[in-house]
Each structure stands twice: as structure tokens, then as C-alpha cells.
Amino acid sequence: MTTSARTRPVPPDIEIAEAAELTPILDLARERLGIDPEHLVPYGHDKAKVSLAGVRALESRTDGRLVLVTAISPTPAGEGKTTTSVGLADGLAALGENAMVALREPSMGPVFGIKGGAAGGGYSQVVPMADINLNFTGDFAAIAAANNLLSAVLDNHLHHGNALDIDPRTVTWKRVVDLNDRALRDVVVGLGGVANGIPREDGFDIVVASEVMAILCLATSVADLRERLGRVVVGYTRGTKQAVHARDLNVHGAMTVILRDALAPNLVQTLEHTPAMIHGGPFANIAHGCNSVMATRTALKLADYVVTEAGFGADLGAEKFVDIKCRATGLRPSAVVVVATVRALKYHGGVNVPDLGTESVEAVTAGMANLRRHLRNVRDVYGLPPVVALNRFPSDTDAEVAEVLRLVEAEGVRAYEATHFADGSDGSKALARGVLEVIEEGSADLQFVYPDDMPLAQKAEAVATRVYGAAGVTFEPKAAKRLAAIEAEGYGHLPICMAKTQSSFSTDPTLRGAPEGHTVSVREVRLAAGAGFVVMVTGEIMTMPGLPKVPASERIDVDDDGRIVGLS
């Protein structure tokens, strides 16, 4: 009962996006969503922000149903999670449903690095693709400015007498830039004499790793945004080791001013004119990896079905969606779509990337261990009904596809072959129908992995053993000391954010499939008091990526007519 994906070549993403005929954003908002022009702040003809007043005007409306899209453990071959999110929303709309998609904004670091853009692909994209991938509405620039204003005020305070008696050696706040630049990971500031400040060690993170990004994405109002920014801990005092907050430096108000416009969610559309909210983009390792609460809630007021996405696999993004975003907001998904590919299953079954195009039903069977654990986590740990979207590629054989569908159905889960990349909504209607059926069954009963009152170390143990299949968690001495201090400061009630490689259930990215009995070693613990979670850093996770040997920026250019080429 399979249908073949198109075998003809699909044009590059940028060519498809540039050829698209977009509905003027004011018309789309009025005709599809009932939003009056007075509640929109246009950024040209094809993108706009829904004003905060417009968001408030929707509060009395009934919420639609939320569908979370996640995936198996990511592989170098790529799974197409964002493409599937867009395709599913288009498929629901093609069936006559009032649907929207709510996604994160791309970071320019990966766009110019190794990953490329994050606006979907093929005939399942959000547009204008180039604008979304590059600067968009200026949200990331505002986040960087607010973050770096705090850094500047902090160093200025140290320079002008340090009335708060901050120990420069304890400063935890870093500057940010929205590019991959390994040379900025560790720097020294304040050199050049007394006029240039107090010398101290510092560093840069990428913008998506900033706590300000996480705060913007979890804030529910301007007042909440301001309060959260004030809670940010930047360092500690010399004698009493008391936490110093952004509010102690009287900078959180100015930071809120910079971020006021950025807090409003962005409205664009898919290639098939399905409305799309694209807003916020926190790391799925070091933060919670979901689009903004403002965008999700706004979409739920505007549509009957909202498709949203969590970063990386169901062990990372989906767990944080549940334990951080849902816990904080009351959001409850009605269904979860787990994206899988034949190529990814073969990779987790032991096949190396160069050989993924060769048929191997045996490798598919072996790789099912990875998907099986993700499905059981979604269903048995998170309490949510899963649906598998098998994102089909032209190299997939009918035998391989049939094996995936058979194995998934043996788990008691529905699976649907999807060809939305090549066929748009025509290739995702079966998936959309399956999702609607699961929603109507009403079996969702969201469960958190751990309770609020559990000690932080036990919360980490719960995630590691229940979700990762680990034997337990160990804390390096420095991490254990920091964890005890955070508990003593009164933050033990916060949820945790496990910063772990996305490539494996373990902390070793080379371990494929579904490893068991491993130990999760926490090397660093960070407090994100403003965002409202405690980060547990494992393995070699970095908050400032580096560029690959041949970065994507080498193929990105602009022609003499001003058209962008090479963007994907």
C-alpha cells in the first residue's frame, strides 16, 4: 500500500522558494485568520508581526488542538523534521481543516555553517525562505543587543567602583553573536589599561544559546519578560557569595525595551499559503529547543489544529517540550508525530553514510531499536499518542518501506509514508488523516518525567534512566558542588535541561541505535534563573559552534540582479 516518491529531481530549495507566488500578508491574515490590519505590523509585503495588542484581543477564543512533531535520533543523512512539520500543516489544510504551523526561527550560524537553513525543504517550505533564514524581522539582533547590553553594564559596573562587590572570577554571563566562531569561545576583556575596564576572562556564545533567547521564548507578556530578565544571575559577590541579578544592575528595564517588539510573534506562510508562526529559536541542547510560547498560544487561538516542532530527537526536544514548556504554560499536545526515514534507520542499524543508498532490510530491522525507544518514551513516559511519519526518499525501496511500516505497526502505532518534500500536501494527506484519527480518539494524557519537588540530581537520574536507557548519572566534583549551591539558593524546584548530544541516547555521539546501561556524566551545571530551569551539561556540548572545513557560506552568493543563490 505504498506510493513512490517522485523520481524526477526536485529543484533546489531557494529556486522553489523564489518562484513561489505569495499571498500578501495583510490579505492572508484577514482571509485565513480573521486578523484585522490594525493588529499587524508589516515587514514588507510578505511577513508581519502580530502586535501584542492583537495577541491580547484573541484571549477569549477557544484553543485549537496542538500536534508536536519530533523525530528519531538525528543522523548525518538528515530526517526532514521541519519539512514534515510544514508538510503536515499543508496536508491538514488540504483536507479542509483550519491549520497553522508554529516553528522556530533559524540561526545564521548553522545557515552559514554545516546544517543550512531551517525553513523546510522542497515543496514543503515556509516563505519568504531567504528572509526567514537571514535576519528575518530582527528578533535575533534584538536578543543579541539585550544580552550584550547586560554584559556592557556589568563590565561598566566593575570599572566604576564595583559597588555590589562582584567577584570578577565568578561572572557567568557571556556575550553573544549569531555566527559560528570558535575563536570567540574563550576571550579576555578589559585589556589596554585602566581606561578600558577590569581585565577578566570572558567568552561568546551563539545567540540561540543565550538565556535571553530562552526567556523570550517562555515569556507570556511584557511584564513576565521584564520579571524574567531581572531574575538573570550574572555572577556572585566576593565575601558572602550572594547571587547578583540583572535587576541589581538596574538593566532589566532597558533590556525589555530592546526586546519589546521582538516579543510579538511573526506571521508568514507556507508555499501552499498555510499560515505560519515563526518565532524564537533556542538551542535544543543547552535550552528547551521550542518556538515561543507567544507564537504557540497565538496560533492555538487562530486555528483548529496547530503543528509545532521540538528540536532534535524525542529524547531531547520532546522531553524539554514536555518537562519545561508544557510544565510552565499548561500547553498539552493531542498527538505526537515522530519523523523517521529509511536512511536514518539503516544508519542506526550500522550502515555508514556512503552506503545508505544501498538496500538493506536487515539494517532497517536493526535500526528500529532507536525508533522503538522513542515511540515508547512518547507513549509510556510522556503519556502521548505517537504517529510515525516515514519521510520517504527516492532511494528508499518498497521492501525497506514495507519493513518500516510492519515494524511500527507491530508496536501498536500507526505509520504513514509521506512524500511532502516532492509532492507538497498531496504527499502528506494520509499522514494528516492519521493524525486527525489519533486526536479524535482522545488518548493523550500528558505526564512529566519527574515532579517539581524532586531534588535536581534525582531529576537528572529520572531523565537518564527513564528516557535515555542509562544505568544512572554521575556528577564531576565541580558540577556536584555547583548543584549543591543551586539547591541551597532555593532553585531546587526548577525543571532541568539536559545538554546532551543529539546523535545518541548516550553522551557518546558515536553510539547508534538504542544503547543501554551507560552512565551519563554531568561535567557542568548552569543556573538559568530567568528562563526558569537548571542546565546539566554532559559530554562535549558547546554553546559556541565552530565552522566546518568547508562551510556552507562558500556556496552562498548573490547574482548581479540581487537574487540569492546557494542557500538551502
Side-chain angles (χ1 to χ4, degrees):
M1 211 165 80
T2 64
T3 58
S4 296
R6 285 183 183 172
T7 56
R8 66 172 178 80
V10 174
D13 293 348
I14 187 66
E15 290 184 15
I16 295 173
E18 292 292 337
E21 293 185 9
L22 277 63
T23 302
I25 199 65
L26 296 180
D27 294 343
L28 180 89
R30 182 177 58 252
E31 296 167 6
R32 297 290 294 269
L33 301 173
I35 302 177
D36 294 330
E38 66 194 65
H39 287 147
L40 291 176
V41 182
Y43 282 67
H45 300 292
D46 45 26
K47 52 188 183 292
K49 281 186 172 291
V50 180
S51 70
L52 295 179
V55 171
R56 289 193 295 271
L58 300 171
E59 289 178 355
S60 62
R61 294 193 184 185
T62 302
D63 285 348
R65 303 290 189 91
L66 186 62
V67 179
L68 175 65
V69 177
T70 183
I72 65 175
S73 299
T75 72
E79 287 64 59
K81 182 154 50 68
T82 302
T83 304
T84 301
S85 299
V86 176
L88 174 58
D90 281 340
L92 289 166
L95 294 177
E97 303 293 347
N98 178 15
M100 288 187 71
V101 61
L103 302 171
R104 293 178 293 168
E105 298 178 47
S107 164
M108 285 198 296
V111 169
F112 292 123
I114 192 170
K115 186 179 178 185
Y123 290 96
S124 292
Q125 297 187 52
V126 282
V127 283
M129 181 264 239
D131 291 8
I132 292 169
N133 280 309
L134 304 171
N135 295 310
F136 200 21
T137 57
D139 293 343
F140 282 22
I143 291 165
N147 183 106
N148 294 340
L149 173 62
L150 178 53
S151 293
V153 169
L154 171 60
D155 280 310
N156 187 60
H157 181 89
L158 295 175
H159 176 71
H160 287 290
N162 193 9
L164 294 173
D165 197 28
I166 302 169
D167 186 344
R169 298 168 299 180
T170 67
V171 170
T172 55
W173 193 253
K174 291 186 176 184
R175 290 165 163 84
V176 296
V177 62
D178 194 32
L179 292 170
N180 294 1
D181 193 345
R182 62 172 54 84
L184 293 179
R185 288 173 181 161
D186 295 287
V187 301
V188 178
V189 297
L191 300 180
V194 294
N196 295 328
I198 304 298
R200 67 176 182 87
E201 293 184 6
D202 198 0
F204 279 76
D205 288 335
I206 193 168
V207 165
V208 289
S210 169
E211 186 181 349
V212 176
M213 174 69 81
I215 287 171
L216 182 91
C217 289
L218 289 168
T220 56
S221 65
V222 172
D224 185 40
L225 175 66
R226 188 178 188 277
E227 196 276 331
R228 285 174 177 273
L229 291 169
R231 294 203 312 251
V232 168
V233 174
V234 298
Y236 294 82
T237 60
R238 282 194 178 95
T240 57
K241 306 297 183 186
Q242 294 298 304
V244 179
H245 303 85
R247 62 175 177 262
D248 299 322
L249 294 165
N250 296 316
V251 68
H252 58 307
M255 294 170 70
T256 308
V257 169
I258 294 173
L259 294 168
R260 183 193 61 171
D261 292 342
L263 184 62
N266 305 303
L267 178 66
V268 289
Q269 62 193 286
T270 72
L271 291 171
E272 300 190 17
H273 314 297
T274 303
M277 290 278 183
I278 311 292
H279 193 222
F283 251 18
N285 292 111
I286 207 72
H288 59 297
C290 311
N291 71 294
S292 75
V293 171
M294 292 286 286
T296 306
R297 282 185 165 173
T298 301
L300 286 168
K301 298 296 185 183
L302 293 167
D304 295 330
Y305 297 96
V306 175
V307 179
T308 193
E309 176 189 343
F312 298 134
D315 58 325
L316 281 176
E319 185 272 317
K320 293 168 187 177
F321 187 95
V322 167
D323 280 320
I324 296 177
K325 187 171 181 177
C326 291
R327 188 190 300 263
T329 62
L331 291 169
R332 296 293 184 268
S334 297
V336 176
V337 174
V338 182
V339 180
T341 66
V342 166
R343 299 190 308 174
L345 289 168
K346 289 194 290 189
Y347 180 83
H348 281 292
V351 177
N352 292 324
V353 173
D355 301 319
L356 291 177
T358 303
E359 182 180 83
S360 177
V361 175
E362 296 78 9
V364 167
T365 304
M368 181 63 191
N370 185 274
L371 176 55
R372 185 177 292 114
R373 180 176 294 172
H374 284 297
L375 293 175
R376 291 180 179 176
N377 282 340
V378 169
R379 182 178 56 197
D380 302 336
V381 180
Y382 311 149
L384 299 171
V387 176
V388 170
L390 181 59
N391 185 17
R392 183 160 188 176
F393 286 73
S395 61
D396 301 344
T397 68
D398 288 343
E400 291 171 328
V401 169
E403 178 69 354
V404 176
L405 299 180
R406 184 187 70 80
L407 291 169
V408 172
E409 288 168 6
E411 293 296 313
V413 176
R414 295 179 178 89
Y416 299 91
E417 179 187 343
T419 61
H420 45 279
F421 179 89
D423 300 325
S425 62
D426 285 343
S428 61
K429 286 180 182 176
L431 172 64
R433 291 190 187 96
V435 169
L436 290 173
E437 289 175 4
V438 168
I439 291 175
E440 289 307 310
E441 290 170 1
S443 62
D445 182 22
L446 185 137
Q447 305 292 322
F448 300 128
V449 179
Y450 49 81
D452 289 338
D453 58 1
M454 180 178 281
L456 293 172
Q458 291 182 27
K459 290 175 181 175
E461 187 90 9
V463 173
T465 55
R466 298 190 68 196
V467 178
Y468 303 161
V473 177
T474 61
F475 291 85
E476 295 184 12
K478 182 179 178 181
K481 182 178 179 181
R482 182 74 182 113
L483 188 66
I486 290 172
E487 292 266 17
E489 290 174 41
Y491 294 108
H493 66 286
L494 294 180
I496 62 165
C497 178
M498 296 293 284
K500 180 186 71 68
T501 177
Q502 68 272 18
S503 301
S504 175
F505 280 109
S506 74
T507 57
D508 180 354
T510 67
L511 292 183
R512 310 181 199 180
E516 293 182 327
H518 51 279
T519 299
V520 174
S521 177
V522 177
R523 63 177 174 84
E524 185 180 355
V525 177
R526 303 178 185 178
L527 172 63
F533 51 74
V534 176
V535 181
M536 308 269 187
V537 184
T538 70
E540 301 301 320
I541 293 298
M542 292 185 178
T543 52
M544 170 52 84
L547 292 170
K549 185 175 182 179
V550 182
S553 56
E554 292 191 11
R555 64 175 181 268
I556 298 173
D557 206 340
V558 61
D559 66 18
D560 293 342
D561 295 322
R563 291 190 295 267
I564 296 172
V565 296
L567 187 62
S568 63

